[in-house]
Amino acid sequence: MKLILMLASLAIYSCSSGSKKGEPLKEFNGYVKEVTTQVLKVEDNRGHTITFDNREVTYVGGTLMVNDSVCVSYRGKLDNGTPSIIAELIPRKKK
């Protein structure tokens, strides 16, 4: 799965445009609170919630649903409206 994420990151990095193109991807981990074609709202374990612009995201690992664990990759400043580049579903650990 890490290989898929790495390949997706490289593809998106090479195809992206704008002034943030050269910036490295950053990550925000948490739980999905809302997901639509427009927004991805994620809350971390400290209760901090970010609403990402979800219009040009690449999903890795499957479709996201409310309460799923997710790792969102983005560029630039982390703020409401920051575009999500990659949203990776983090599978639940088997007991």
Side-chain angles (χ1 to χ4, degrees):
M1 177 157 345
K2 294 291 181 184
L3 178 61
I4 293 171
L5 179 61
M6 185 174 66
L7 291 174
S9 297
L10 289 173
I12 291 169
Y13 178 78
S14 65
C15 296
S16 63
S17 60
S19 62
K20 297 177 185 176
K21 182 177 179 181
E23 291 184 34
L25 290 175
K26 300 173 190 169
E27 295 180 345
F28 184 79
N29 295 306
Y31 297 94
V32 176
K33 292 299 176 187
E34 179 182 351
V35 61
T36 69
T37 57
Q38 301 292 316
V39 299
L40 173 60
K41 187 179 289 188
V42 179
E43 182 179 319
D44 69 7
N45 60 2
R46 296 173 298 174
H48 187 226
T49 302
I50 294 292
T51 302
F52 291 94
D53 178 334
N54 202 37
R55 292 178 286 180
E56 296 185 28
V57 68
T58 297
Y59 292 103
V60 176
T63 304
L64 294 178
M65 295 175 21
V66 172
N67 295 325
D68 281 344
S69 294
V70 67
C71 176
V72 180
S73 298
Y74 64 95
R75 284 197 178 95
K77 183 179 176 187
L78 181 62
D79 201 359
N80 288 323
T82 297
S84 53
I85 307 291
I86 300 170
E88 179 184 8
L89 172 67
I90 301 172
R92 294 180 188 213
K93 295 181 181 180
K94 295 181 182 179
K95 294 182 181 183

